[in-house]
Amino acid sequence: MLYTMNVSDDLISWYMDHKRSLPWRETRDPYRIWLSEIILQQTRVEQGMMYYLRFVNTYPNIGFLARAKEEDVMKNWQGLGYYSRARNLFATAKYIYHDLGGEFPRSYDNLLKLKGVGPYTAAAIASFAYKLPHAVVDGNVARVLSRLFDLELPINSAEGKKLLDSLAAELLHPEHPDLHNQAIMELGALVCTPQSPGCGKCPVRMHCMAQQRGTVTMRPQKVKKSKAKAWSIHYMVLESEEGVIFRFRKKGGVWKGLFDFISLEDVSEPSAEMMLETVKGVLPQVEIKSAPRQVYATRHLLTHRKIEAEFWHISVTSVNGGALSGDCRFVPFEDIKALPVSRLVHKYLEKTPWLE
Ligand code: SF4
């Protein structure tokens, strides 16, 4: 225990001198800490900062977020990706506000019951907001621990994760779990980086087994993941004189709750007839005025998907005011910029005059 306390003390005193000043570190408000943690999942600090400030300005407390319109929350999230985070964020805000009387859960176990909150986020909120002794293990911490203890086990295997959890808990400072957690994550972000770690200026190099054994570049070990699957999407963009027909993604999947267009998926090189038939199948009332014309093509990467997307423009007669079937909605040109859309659709919209 003396050994691990030394590590933690060294980490904390280094952190106090070198930490970056970040707004979510200046608060003990569990709402703001939760918000920052959800935003920072799979997001770089620089990018997350803008979204964090936007969210705390627009929704300064859980009541503001719970009473917001889902469409607005999704719009404010736009560009961050992983939209299930935004949907969970909104669902959790409503749950806390309506079912828990606006009181954030105060224990690790109850935090874990919140949608979108896993062991890492629960430990982060529990320690940062309430100083509870729960150790965080994110990618940065896993890398630091695997080098500190020179672990041969892959950090993304079940056994590896179990071992990391127990080492992280053992290392945790009993009186300052908040500072300890921040410090070890900061070390991973600033010094013990994936490539070229700065061992020469590392506050825990005297304790680091990988450094002593010359295995730093071999740590952490990881099990190779399967390659991203290919996904081809042909979007049909129906434009009339007053606006564009969008489709709302109501069902599950990565883009649930966002708007895109009627599409043909995983069909390689569909013919013009096939596209027009698809449009007619979804929107029989719409009168088509022109053949599909390709206006934009791009590649887009999601975590497990490699997307080849093509956007096809089709002119249609005016449908403004008429009811549309198939989750479709007519959107006047001037309202397009307010729609929540995926980063992929946004890439296309940027090529049109509709966002100006
Ligand atoms: Fe990481 Fe090097 Fe510090 Fe070890 S000595 S924890 S490898 S930066």
Side-chain angles (χ1 to χ4, degrees):
M1 197 63 190
L2 182 66
Y3 168 71
T4 54
M5 278 296 284
N6 279 344
V7 176
S8 188
D9 286 340
D10 290 348
L11 271 173
I12 291 174
S13 74
W14 168 83
Y15 173 72
M16 298 313 281
D17 290 339
H18 295 86
K19 66 176 176 175
R20 290 167 294 175
S21 157
L22 300 170
W24 48 85
R25 286 181 173 162
E26 314 298 325
T27 180
R28 292 221 173 263
D29 178 356
Y31 166 70
R32 289 182 178 221
I33 291 168
W34 165 69
L35 209 51
S36 72
E37 289 299 337
I38 302 293
I39 288 172
L40 291 173
Q41 287 166 7
Q42 290 126 339
T43 300
R44 284 174 298 109
V45 165
E46 305 77 53
Q47 190 196 12
M49 176 83 84
M50 190 182 88
Y51 284 86
Y52 173 79
L53 295 174
R54 180 190 297 169
F55 267 80
V56 292
N57 286 331
T58 316
Y59 314 114
N61 62 42
I62 197 98
F64 278 88
L65 182 56
R67 294 192 303 266
K69 268 170 63 188
E70 181 164 13
E71 229 171 280
D72 293 339
V73 175
M74 299 302 282
K75 185 68 196 166
N76 280 320
W77 192 269
Q78 187 172 305
L80 259 184
Y82 301 97
Y83 292 91
S84 58
R85 288 185 293 166
R87 289 189 292 270
N88 287 336
L89 190 84
F90 186 52
T92 298
K94 285 197 289 187
Y95 167 69
I96 293 175
Y97 186 67
H98 296 296
D99 297 9
L100 306 182
E103 282 288 309
F104 230 90
R106 292 190 66 90
S107 73
Y108 174 83
D109 289 340
N110 284 339
L111 285 165
L112 211 46
K113 287 181 193 155
L114 301 177
K115 249 188 174 173
V117 172
Y120 162 78
T121 308
I125 302 170
S127 62
F128 303 155
Y130 309 125
K131 276 177 116 24
L132 293 173
H134 292 279
V136 294
V137 182
D138 69 350
N140 281 330
V141 175
R143 184 171 59 256
V144 173
L145 292 176
S146 106
R147 288 172 175 165
L148 257 181
F149 294 95
D150 194 27
L151 304 181
E152 283 177 29
L153 269 178
I155 57 168
N156 54 349
S157 66
E159 297 102 310
K161 285 181 185 166
K162 226 166 138 187
L163 180 59
L164 288 172
D165 284 344
S166 73
L167 290 172
E170 204 180 311
L171 208 61
L172 190 69
H173 198 293
E175 284 148 41
H176 305 293
D178 49 341
L179 292 177
H180 171 98
N181 280 338
Q182 293 281 18
I184 192 164
M185 287 198 285
E186 195 75 333
L187 187 81
L190 301 183
V191 179
C192 194
T193 47
Q195 263 81 47
S196 328
C199 300
K201 54 181 179 179
C202 176
V204 292
R205 65 184 172 281
M206 301 304 283
H207 312 282
C208 179
M209 291 190 209
Q211 161 74 4
Q212 283 156 24
R213 296 176 185 166
T215 52
V216 172
T217 53
M218 291 153 69
R219 305 287 175 256
Q221 288 290 313
K222 281 188 187 168
V223 184
K224 286 224 166 63
K225 291 213 174 130
S226 56
K227 274 196 175 165
K229 270 184 32 202
W231 184 9
S232 86
I233 309 177
H234 294 264
Y235 285 116
M236 274 78 82
V237 184
L238 308 182
E239 183 182 354
S240 76
E241 277 169 14
E242 293 93 14
V244 176
I245 296 174
F246 281 81
R247 174 186 56 170
F248 181 62
R249 287 240 179 197
K250 209 158 52 181
K251 301 228 174 76
V254 278
W255 293 321
K256 186 178 162 197
L258 301 177
F259 286 85
D260 59 5
F261 307 101
I262 296 171
S263 61
L264 267 170
E265 300 184 13
D266 287 328
V267 179
S268 63
E269 301 186 19
S271 61
E273 291 72 39
M274 198 191 261
M275 286 191 232
L276 296 180
E277 264 171 37
T278 306
V279 172
K280 278 286 172 200
V282 181
L283 293 174
Q285 71 272 50
V286 163
E287 198 181 311
I288 291 165
K289 281 170 57 184
S290 75
R293 180 171 54 91
Q294 198 199 81
V295 283
Y296 183 58
T298 186
R299 290 206 170 119
H300 190 75
L301 271 183
L302 298 177
T303 320
H304 303 295
R305 298 295 203 132
K306 209 158 86 192
I307 301 173
E308 301 269 353
E310 293 184 17
F311 291 78
W312 297 80
H313 180 272
I314 300 171
S315 294
V316 296
T317 48
S318 177
V319 287
N320 195 1
L324 294 178
S325 50
D327 301 330
C328 289
R329 193 197 283 183
F330 172 79
V331 182
F333 294 124
E334 62 274 20
D335 294 344
I336 291 177
K337 51 169 121 35
L339 281 188
V341 296
S342 68
R343 199 189 291 230
L344 170 60
V345 170
H346 193 259
K347 259 159 78 176
Y348 160 68
L349 291 177
E350 277 179 334
K351 309 280 173 206
T352 72
W354 308 326
L355 297 189
E356 282 159 15

